DNA sequence: ATCGGCAGGTTTACAGTGTAAAGTTTACAC
DNA sequence: GTGTAAACTTTACACTGTAAACCTGCCGAT
């Protein structure tokens, strides 16, 4: 009823986004269908198309919101007052916690492949890149830049490692003998070695 | 015509699996629908249900085939004659190559989440675990077992790292400035540090 | 030889999906 | 008041997974 009022008040686009997010987080991705969103918002399925080109565009908008949320979390963890190793560790943990606490959000942000969705448009990667840059900064501070270390590349390697862990946890493919926290701790421990130059373990560029 | 003959020859289940795999690899997951599989095989959509409980069960059977294929590849790479670091590196590369060369296979094996599919039944994880054990073996050989290193846990951490890399490549979320090969090389370089005990980077168990 | 049952297959149907096309209402400028 | 443009609804289509009912040919017992 109140949502219907919102719709009539003109900002239907906003209402659609809000209800989509609620459906996504509360009832899972399977419940985000044009008809269900429309019903929740109090309009017709097809009128969503007046505000979003298609379902993918709607999902893309949600992804962007998720990227903003993640950015806030990472910004807070990357406070420059704490020394590098702790700060780095804190950022890794913040990323992992975000993924664990916002499963559905995380999945549409990083897990959704071209298999089930048109590719996330390239021009929208800005916000995703911003998050990586926070990791690159702390890597740069720890190791500097030289011919045998590229912070940007390092941040991608780090990201992919953290992402892999979340991906397997979400898909519930991690052996139940290991508690999630044990796995997470080991993941962070492994990630720590990107901080130190090692004879065989530094990502080098060309 | 020949496939129809196959179906009539009794082994319809086999024909369904073959055509599903072909559709998956040649036309992508989106083309694996009960009706399309049935059309390709020369039977009705619903008669697939006589051989598979539902679509998920069909996909699960394909996953199992994929696990077998991966196992062959890893077995070959884990030949005990080459010294540990090279062997380890070779196995990592074999895993990554498998993921790169068999995108669609890999995605249904590891990328498909409960979001879009009923969970892969626990009793079928045997084959998936076999593959992890190959990694655990070489880790054990390199570092032994002690209070501060658990090869099984280490293999999961390694696996999650390799998986993360493949996942991002598949979803085309890796910055185009970096060639896939450069990223892959950096990933392997980072994975190498699981071979050496390091003050802060060894996965410990409880 | 015939009947019963049954495994394997088909027909039909239903409820759900995304979305295109056409029709309707509302709001505002002149 | 009338013209126009934007916002929204109605209707429709092609597609999905799958349940229920029906048919059909084989195999073993009477």
């Amino acid at each position: 009823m109140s949502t219907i009022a919102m719709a009539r008040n003109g900002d239907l686009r906003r209402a659609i986004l809000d209800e989509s997010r609620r459906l996504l987080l509360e009832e899972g991705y399977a419940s985000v269908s044009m008809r269900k969103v429309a019903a929740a918002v109090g309009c017709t399925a097809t009128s969503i198309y007046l505000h979003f080109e298609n379902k993918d565009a709607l999902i893309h908008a949600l992804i962007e919101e998720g990227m903003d949320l993640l950015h806030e979390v990472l910004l807070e963890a990357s406070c420059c007052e704490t020394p590098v190793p702790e700060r780095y560790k804190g950022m890794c943990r913040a990323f992992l916690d975000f993924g664990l606490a916002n499963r559905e959000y995380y999945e549409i942000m990083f897990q959704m492949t071209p298999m089930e969705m048109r590719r996330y448009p390239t021009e929208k990667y800005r916000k995703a890149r911003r998050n990586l840059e926070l990791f690159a900064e702390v890597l740069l501070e720890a190791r500097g830049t030289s011919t045998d270390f590229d912070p940007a590349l390092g941040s991608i390697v780090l990201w992919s490692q953290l992402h892999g862990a979340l991906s397997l946890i979400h898909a519930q493919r991690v052996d139940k003998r290991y508690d999630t926290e044990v796995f997470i701790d080991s993941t962070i421990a492994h990630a720590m070695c990107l901080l130190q130059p090692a004879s065989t373990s530094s990502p080098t560029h060309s």
Side-chain angles (χ1 to χ4, degrees), chain A:
Chain A
M1 205 68 157
S2 66
T3 2
I4 296 182
M6 275 191 68
R8 303 283 173 238
N9 274 357
D11 210 350
L12 183 58
R13 189 193 145 93
R14 188 67 258 157
I16 290 171
L17 271 177
D18 289 343
E19 288 301 319
S20 303
R21 180 166 13 82
R22 194 188 56 77
L23 278 172
L24 177 70
L25 298 177
E26 290 179 14
E27 302 188 22
Y29 181 77
S31 280
V32 184
S33 84
M34 300 306 250
R35 284 174 172 83
K36 281 191 186 165
V37 170
V41 114
C43 71
T44 325
T46 53
S47 77
I48 298 180
Y49 288 88
L50 298 171
H51 301 273
F52 299 92
E53 197 191 334
N54 49 36
K55 184 180 180 182
D56 287 335
L58 173 57
I59 301 295
H60 290 163
L62 286 179
I63 289 180
E64 207 162 350
E65 290 192 344
M67 291 293 181
D68 286 340
L69 199 62
L70 175 58
H71 191 64
E72 283 176 34
V73 167
L74 286 182
L75 259 188
E76 189 164 4
S78 69
C79 158
C80 283
E81 311 213 341
T82 51
V84 168
E86 279 73 23
R87 199 196 318 157
Y88 177 78
K89 191 183 280 195
M91 290 172 66
C92 291
R93 198 168 284 280
F95 185 88
L96 292 169
D97 284 347
F98 173 85
L100 291 175
N102 303 66
R103 183 178 174 315
E104 304 282 356
Y105 241 141
Y106 187 88
E107 289 195 352
I108 62 166
M109 286 167 68
F110 298 115
Q111 194 87 13
M112 206 165 231
T113 70
M115 197 172 80
E116 59 227 298
M117 185 182 67
R118 291 173 188 66
R119 191 150 60 267
Y120 194 61
T122 331
E123 75 271 15
K124 289 207 163 183
Y125 272 109
R126 206 173 15 89
K127 296 201 173 181
R129 242 177 300 136
R130 247 185 0 181
N131 290 326
L132 269 190
E133 279 160 13
L134 290 178
F135 282 114
E137 277 167 26
V138 64
L139 282 174
L140 177 66
E141 195 170 332
R143 299 189 47 179
T145 182
S146 66
T147 50
D148 69 330
F149 185 73
D150 176 346
L153 180 54
S155 71
I156 298 179
V157 171
L158 169 62
W159 174 40
S160 79
Q161 197 213 313
L162 299 179
H163 169 66
L166 286 172
S167 172
L168 293 184
I169 291 173
H170 284 155
Q172 293 181 268
R173 277 170 155 79
V174 180
D175 192 328
K176 274 182 253 169
R177 282 193 306 133
Y178 296 101
D179 187 74
T180 299
E181 234 175 272
V182 172
F183 175 49
I184 290 280
D185 287 346
S186 303
T187 292
I188 293 182
H190 178 41
M192 292 307 287
C193 77
L194 282 170
L195 278 189
Q196 288 142 10
S199 54
T200 54
S201 72
S202 62
T204 63
H205 190 186
S206 98

